[in-house]
């Protein structure tokens, strides 16, 4: 089993050197080298998982379209070209036959048909199937406190394959069910909340880290008392590989921190990144709507929910302190090119933020 010290050393070494192999020097090999098939393997989660698996001396195969970061791991990992959609190009042909893998880690299953096809093809040729789901699978009517047994969403139209935020939760819930029903005790389901940290291309958590670090008058969320939960990619991804190494079944919410934090507490904690004082102005939904401002990670009017994380902690997941995640994210962000930082998604402009704060000040007197 990987020790906490080794994991800390590995995540520190791997930050900024993904693909170089430098992180492997400080990581002891796993007791048994596994044949691991990653469905996906690029994107945000894949590289951290794959680098960790390689550092543990596992034999890695990637199955993806070969378009995104095709040479990311060089000759250290096998690449099989195909498509999750069996109707496109060569589909799943590269996975056909009698070849076996000890573990499948499925990062890229979003549509039920795709997941069903992959599971049907591989179910008799894999020891464990780890499916990366999401806490968005839970039925909103299941209450404020959500554990792994809480009811899941249902798809109104199982044939609807339009990918949208409205469909995301129900589609992932159906994928989640398929993996459980088809694989039984060979299935492991991981349900993360917001995944954050260096290299996060959604720019959501990064917005708050960067904005608070710049200090001044800051437009804050509408319900600062609501809870915010997240998981650092550098904690989540190695732990997923560890689940595979230990052949751990079950369902796990991955939603830190260890102790609940409200938005107000999170932003106050982020204020330590700023050189000057920061003042938060809590938004009003009507002002955000009128100015067409969508604050990252904020959903005005949505009831607060707490996703239980005791099962994941019992299975060895350690949630690092917010200060570590925030500092590493800010360091990574400031190292990005001007062109990358200019292409942020969903950030309010300084002008709109200023106008919103002026309206809030006028309203509140």
């Amino acid at each position: 089993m990987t020790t906490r010290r080794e994991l800390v050393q590995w995540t520190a070494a791997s930050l900024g050197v993904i693909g170089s192999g430098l992180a492997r020097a400080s990581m002891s090999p796993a007791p048994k080298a596994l044949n691991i098939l990653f469905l996906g393997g690029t994107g945000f989660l894949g590289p951290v998982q794959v680098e960790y698996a390689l550092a543990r001396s596992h034999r890695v195969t990637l199955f993806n379209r070969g378009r995104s970061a095709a040479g990311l791991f060089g000759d250290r990992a096998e690449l099989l070209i195909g498509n999750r959609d069996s109707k496109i190009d060569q589909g799943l042909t590269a996975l056909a036959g009698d070849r076996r893998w000890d573990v499948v880690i499925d990062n890229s299953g979003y549509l039920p048909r795709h997941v069903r096809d992959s599971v049907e093809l591989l179910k008799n040729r894999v020891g464990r199937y780890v499916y990366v789901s999401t806490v968005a699978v839970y039925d909103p009517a299941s209450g404020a406190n959500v554990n792994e047994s809480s009811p899941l969403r249902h798809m109104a139209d199982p044939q609807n394959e339009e990918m949208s935020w409205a469909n995301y939760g129900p589609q992932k819930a159906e994928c989640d069910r398929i993996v459980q029903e088809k694989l039984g005790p060979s299935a492991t389901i991981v349900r993360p909340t917001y995944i954050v940290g260096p290299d996060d291309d959604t720019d959501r958590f990064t917005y708050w880290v960067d904005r608070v670090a710049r200090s001044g008058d800051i437009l804050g969320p509408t319900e600062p008392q609501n809870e915010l939960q997240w998981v650092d990619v550098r904690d989540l991804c190695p732990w997923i590989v560890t689940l595979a190494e230990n052949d751990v079944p079950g369902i796990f919410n991955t939603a830190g921190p260890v102790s609940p934090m409200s938005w107000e507490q999170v932003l106050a904690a982020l204020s330590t990144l700023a050189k000057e004082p920061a003042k938060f102005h809590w938004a009003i939904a009507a002002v955000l709507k009128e100015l067409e401002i969508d604050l990252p990670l904020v959903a005005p009017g949505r009831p607060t929910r707490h996703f239980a994380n005791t099962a994941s902690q019992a299975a060895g997941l350690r949630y690092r302190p917010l200060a570590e995640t925030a500092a590493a994210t800010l360091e990574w962000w400031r190292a990005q090119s001007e062109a990358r930082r200019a292409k942020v998604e969903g950030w309010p402009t300084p002008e709109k933020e200023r106008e919103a704060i002026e309206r809030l000040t006028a309203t509140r007197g």
Side-chain angles (χ1 to χ4, degrees):
M1 179 179 290
T2 310
T3 67
R4 177 65 176 164
R5 181 177 181 181
E6 286 178 326
L7 185 54
V8 170
Q9 290 175 336
W10 180 84
T11 54
S14 65
L15 181 58
V17 295
I18 292 294
S20 69
L22 296 179
R24 291 192 290 173
S26 62
M27 179 59 60
S28 60
K32 177 184 177 182
L34 301 175
N35 294 310
I36 303 179
L37 170 64
F38 288 89
L39 301 182
T42 56
F44 183 29
L45 305 188
V48 185
Q49 292 172 339
V50 171
E51 282 293 346
Y52 184 78
L54 291 171
R56 293 282 282 166
S57 300
H58 297 303
R59 295 177 290 272
V60 171
T61 301
L62 309 176
F63 174 81
N64 56 53
R65 294 175 299 174
R67 300 174 186 172
S68 174
L72 187 61
F73 307 106
D75 60 1
R76 296 182 298 135
E78 177 187 17
L79 176 61
L80 301 179
I81 303 295
N83 198 300
R84 292 299 296 263
D85 192 333
S86 58
K87 299 178 181 179
I88 296 178
D89 300 327
Q90 57 267 60
L92 300 171
T93 303
L95 297 178
D98 57 3
R99 183 175 176 182
R100 298 185 59 86
W101 285 273
D102 297 302
V103 179
V104 170
I105 297 179
D106 186 350
N107 292 314
S108 61
Y110 294 96
L111 294 179
R113 176 170 59 86
H114 296 176
V115 171
R116 184 179 293 105
D117 288 349
S118 300
V119 168
E120 289 286 1
L121 182 64
L122 295 168
K123 65 182 181 181
N124 295 321
R125 295 186 287 122
V126 61
R128 176 145 307 281
Y129 195 107
V130 182
Y131 178 64
V132 180
S133 185
T134 168
V135 294
V137 300
Y138 291 112
D139 188 333
S142 59
N145 294 298
V146 181
N147 61 39
E148 288 81 357
S149 298
S150 296
L152 304 187
R153 292 174 181 260
H154 289 277
M155 290 184 65
D157 178 8
Q159 305 305 315
N160 184 358
E161 294 192 350
E162 178 186 358
M163 297 183 70
S164 66
W165 281 117
N167 292 336
Y168 174 70
Q171 288 171 339
K172 290 287 282 188
E174 188 61 24
C175 295
D176 196 311
R177 288 190 189 92
I178 290 167
V179 174
Q180 293 184 64
E181 291 171 2
K182 298 292 184 181
L183 293 163
S186 296
T188 302
I189 309 293
V190 176
R191 295 174 180 160
T193 182
Y194 299 118
I195 305 172
V196 304
D199 290 318
D200 178 6
D201 59 2
T202 70
D203 299 332
R204 297 176 301 186
F205 177 75
T206 306
Y207 167 75
W208 293 105
V209 170
D210 175 77
R211 182 63 193 90
V212 175
R214 288 187 277 116
S215 67
D217 287 287
I218 299 172
L219 182 63
T222 50
E223 289 95 6
Q225 75 284 355
N226 279 6
E227 186 178 353
L228 179 64
Q229 290 183 277
W230 65 90
V231 59
D232 192 305
V233 68
R234 299 165 300 163
D235 295 331
L236 175 66
C237 291
W239 175 75
I240 288 175
V241 176
T242 300
L243 290 179
E245 290 179 351
N246 296 329
D247 195 29
V248 178
I251 303 172
F252 304 95
N253 292 337
T254 55
V258 173
S259 299
M261 293 183 71
S262 69
W263 265 101
E264 188 170 13
Q265 292 171 319
V266 168
L267 295 179
L270 294 182
S271 296
T272 59
L273 299 170
K275 294 181 179 179
E276 302 292 335
K279 181 179 180 180
F280 298 101
H281 301 264
W282 309 121
I284 296 174
V287 172
L288 295 181
K289 184 177 180 180
E290 186 176 344
L291 295 178
E292 298 182 333
I293 294 175
D294 291 316
L295 290 173
L297 304 180
V298 175
R302 180 187 296 172
T304 189
R305 307 182 86 187
H306 174 76
F307 299 99
N309 57 26
T310 52
S312 63
Q313 292 187 73
L317 179 55
R318 298 294 176 259
Y319 296 98
R320 73 184 63 208
L322 173 59
E324 289 185 22
T325 298
T329 301
L330 184 61
E331 180 181 4
W332 162 75
W333 182 246
R334 288 178 170 173
Q336 301 308 295
S337 67
E338 288 187 16
R340 167 65 180 91
R341 286 186 280 118
K343 292 181 178 179
V344 293
E345 295 186 11
W347 291 20
T349 64
E351 293 77 19
K352 282 198 172 184
E353 180 188 40
R354 191 178 308 114
E355 184 177 356
I357 291 173
E358 289 173 355
R359 293 195 187 190
L360 291 169
T361 302
T363 299
R364 291 167 175 158

